[in-house]
Amino acid sequence: MSTRDIVHIALFAALTAALGLFPPITLPLTGVPITAQSMGLMLAGSIIGARRGALSQVLLLVLVAVGFPLLAGGRGGIGVFAGPTAGFLLAWPVGAFVVGWLFERYWGRLTIVSALPILAFGGIVVVYAIGVPGISLATGLPLPQALVGSLPFIPGDLVKVGLTALIALTVRRSYPLIAARS
């Protein structure tokens, strides 16, 4: 791993943390806040690739686990991995990896329109597939009820997918060396 790789990993961990500065809106049924941080995993995977994108999210989660208040609302510490958001947090590296892998695989053919389903799959479907069962386990809600309680997040996530597509394709085309060693 080169110094450039380490810098990119740290940069996207910091970007994801910075997206947590927007005040969270916590939904009453699930206890999971609406934040901008899920956009960080999509940006990481789409711009710096699967491996480095996933590692950026792992780095962020390690920093959170040791107590840095890097999650929305200034949350941090090992306790967040026992609450309703734990599944979503653990899904961030997986989602970043999936987004990055698909972006790497289809890079020569990507347009904003074709990037949208990739980002929606890795940034929403994959993350929810891990996060919703996490809500169910942490809260005792039946899985269907946890899923229904998560549905209000979808419109905001779709906005994040659109923004990420615009940002990622612009950055990757403007700075091809960032993604060249994905």
Side-chain angles (χ1 to χ4, degrees):
M1 188 174 296
S2 72
T3 301
R4 180 181 295 188
D5 291 336
I6 294 168
V7 169
H8 286 147
I9 290 165
L11 175 66
F12 279 87
L15 174 65
T16 304
L19 288 168
L21 294 175
F22 295 102
I25 302 167
T26 303
L27 298 181
L29 182 62
T30 62
V32 176
I34 297 173
T35 75
Q37 284 186 297
S38 58
M39 189 171 160
L41 75 95
M42 291 185 267
L43 285 167
S46 61
I47 294 173
I48 61 174
R51 185 177 54 87
R52 292 180 292 168
L55 287 173
S56 73
Q57 300 308 294
V58 168
L59 173 60
L60 176 69
L61 296 179
V62 167
L63 293 173
V64 166
V66 298
F68 286 89
L70 302 176
L71 297 177
R75 295 176 309 122
I78 198 75
V80 299
F81 296 100
T85 60
F88 288 97
L89 296 174
L90 296 174
W92 286 1
V94 179
F97 183 87
V98 169
V99 166
W101 184 82
L102 290 169
F103 257 67
E104 291 165 8
R105 182 174 173 100
Y106 297 107
W107 177 244
R109 297 173 285 198
L110 280 180
T111 64
I112 297 225
V113 172
S114 63
L116 294 173
I118 290 173
L119 290 163
F121 178 72
I124 299 175
V125 174
V126 168
V127 171
Y128 279 55
I130 299 168
V132 171
I135 291 173
S136 181
L137 287 172
T139 63
L141 287 173
L143 194 56
Q145 192 174 356
L147 179 61
V148 168
S150 298
L151 293 179
F153 292 97
I154 300 292
D157 286 337
L158 291 172
V159 169
K160 292 179 240 179
V161 162
L163 288 171
T164 300
L166 290 169
I167 294 166
L169 292 175
T170 301
V171 169
R172 283 185 66 131
R173 288 190 175 119
S174 299
Y175 300 99
L177 290 178
I178 288 177
R181 294 177 36 190
S182 296

